[in-house]
Amino acid sequence: MKIGIALGSGSARGWAHIGILRALEDMGIRPDIVAGSSIGALVGAAYASGHLDNLEEWVLKLDSSGIMSFLDISWTGAGLIEGDKLFEHFGETLHNTNIEDLPKRFATVATDLATGREIWFREGSLGKAVRASLALPGLFTPAREGDRYLIDGGLVNPVPVSLCRAMEADVVIAVNLNRHIVGKHLRNELADSDHDEEPESPFKSDFLNQTIARLGQSLNRNGSLTAMFKPHRKAPGMFEVIASSINIMQDRITRSRMAGDPPDIILTPRLSHLALMDFDKAEIAIREGRKSVEMSKDALAYFTSAK
């Protein structure tokens, strides 16, 4: 019996995948087939290539300054960040490996910007496949593949159960990072904006300052650029509008896709307290990932007992 795992989208919440994979291994469950969308593609690629230890060590060390070092501002207008520095960091792990040469079967999903079609990567460059799946609109610039521009797989298939089935998985474990997130983070942000004495997240502060500095003082007259990103007087800023919109979209699409193609087991880490860009909170996300496996131990044991 082949066990597949569908690792879902969710930006910084995706570090929970690491905790889930670790907890499954502790139970003796080692998926044969791995399908990932967006951040799930990155973690899935590390797992399928045998580099999960390296990824976990790296994310646990991430802080606001470390994150900033990977933000290469794009001037094309197609996205805020090019993403080249991030993928240079992974080096040979991604760029010089082909999917078909991995010790585990792996695939990822992206979205064709021109047609909206779902694009599956089951062979070819691992680095290009992951880069395409991670191209969150507005944040990362689209990935170019021939004459196509590809963006985040979470737009069409946030939890790629169907891809696991297509790769002949007998049992599919789905990881949904987007349950119960709609509106919660936005409400938290607006509540925090009422308390001037409460310090802003170091990452967001650095991110805004860096962006403003690089775009130039002429674009920030009267603090207008900062106001675009920050919640102010109970009104959401541009960043919060984008993040909350993505949360709504992914939640609705996930529900629809899994209703039509249900997995055997759904793991839903409690991550509504984490924002889309809280990449420096890996320890929290990993811990919640482990907890979600603990809560589903009986179901996991039942469905994978034949393994």
Side-chain angles (χ1 to χ4, degrees):
M1 183 174 67
K2 294 178 182 176
I3 298 176
I5 187 164
L7 303 177
S9 62
S11 197
R13 294 185 289 270
W15 298 147
H17 290 314
I18 298 174
I20 286 169
L21 292 167
R22 294 298 194 199
L24 290 175
E25 285 185 342
D26 291 344
M27 291 182 63
I29 300 172
R30 294 175 173 81
D32 309 283
I33 295 166
V34 183
S37 182
S38 193
I39 190 67
L42 176 60
V43 179
Y47 179 68
S49 62
H51 291 90
L52 190 62
D53 288 345
N54 295 340
L55 179 65
E56 183 175 12
E57 181 182 358
W58 177 64
V59 302
L60 286 173
K61 291 179 180 177
L62 274 180
D63 55 18
S64 58
S65 60
I67 294 170
M68 288 305 306
S69 68
F70 290 103
L71 299 186
D72 44 351
I73 301 298
S74 169
W75 300 101
T76 65
L80 195 59
I81 301 166
E82 288 288 354
D84 294 338
K85 286 186 178 181
L86 177 64
F87 284 90
E88 283 175 9
H89 173 77
F90 290 103
E92 295 182 1
T93 303
L94 295 181
H95 285 297
N96 297 333
T97 305
N98 286 327
I99 294 173
E100 58 269 30
D101 296 330
L102 296 174
K104 287 182 180 289
R105 295 187 65 189
F106 174 73
T108 187
V109 58
T111 305
D112 188 319
L113 183 61
T115 66
R117 288 181 54 202
E118 185 174 336
I119 306 298
W120 289 355
F121 288 89
R122 292 189 278 184
E123 59 183 19
S125 169
L126 180 62
K128 289 182 178 180
V130 173
R131 172 66 178 85
S133 190
L134 271 173
L136 188 67
L139 185 63
F140 286 104
T141 57
R144 186 163 187 174
E145 181 75 13
D147 58 352
R148 299 185 302 191
Y149 286 96
L150 303 178
I151 54 176
D152 198 291
L155 294 176
V156 289
N157 200 349
V159 185
V161 174
S162 56
L163 185 48
C164 275
R165 299 285 188 202
M167 296 166 71
E168 303 179 341
D170 300 302
V171 172
V172 177
I173 303 168
V175 183
N176 180 11
L177 304 177
N178 300 310
R179 189 178 180 188
H180 304 313
I181 62 170
V182 174
K184 286 193 176 182
H185 173 63
L186 178 60
R187 287 193 292 271
N188 292 339
E189 286 292 332
L190 295 180
D192 288 347
S193 68
D194 288 338
H195 303 287
D196 294 336
E197 72 278 7
E198 190 169 317
E200 190 180 9
S201 163
F203 167 64
K204 286 188 179 179
S205 179
D206 288 347
F207 179 71
L208 290 170
N209 291 339
Q210 185 86 350
T211 303
I212 291 167
R214 293 192 182 189
L215 291 178
Q217 292 299 323
S218 61
L219 296 178
N220 191 38
R221 295 194 182 102
N222 301 319
S224 58
L225 187 60
T226 306
M228 289 171 65
F229 287 89
K230 292 173 63 177
H232 180 62
R233 294 182 182 177
K234 297 186 177 182
M238 187 177 76
F239 187 86
E240 299 308 324
V241 171
I242 293 172
S244 297
S245 299
I246 291 172
N247 287 343
I248 293 169
M249 175 196 69
Q250 291 187 339
D251 175 66
R252 298 301 183 259
I253 295 173
T254 299
R255 292 186 189 198
S256 176
R257 292 298 300 254
M258 289 204 293
D261 194 358
D264 297 286
I265 304 162
I266 304 177
L267 301 177
T268 55
R270 297 178 178 178
L271 302 165
S272 60
H273 54 296
L274 294 184
L276 206 67
M277 300 298 293
D278 281 341
F279 289 104
D280 54 343
K281 296 181 180 177
E283 186 175 355
I284 297 172
I286 291 172
R287 183 171 63 247
E288 292 300 326
R290 281 188 170 275
K291 286 182 181 178
S292 70
V293 173
E294 291 290 329
M295 294 175 64
S296 302
K297 262 191 172 182
D298 291 342
L300 287 163
Y302 173 79
F303 280 103
T304 63
S305 59
K307 180 69 175 176

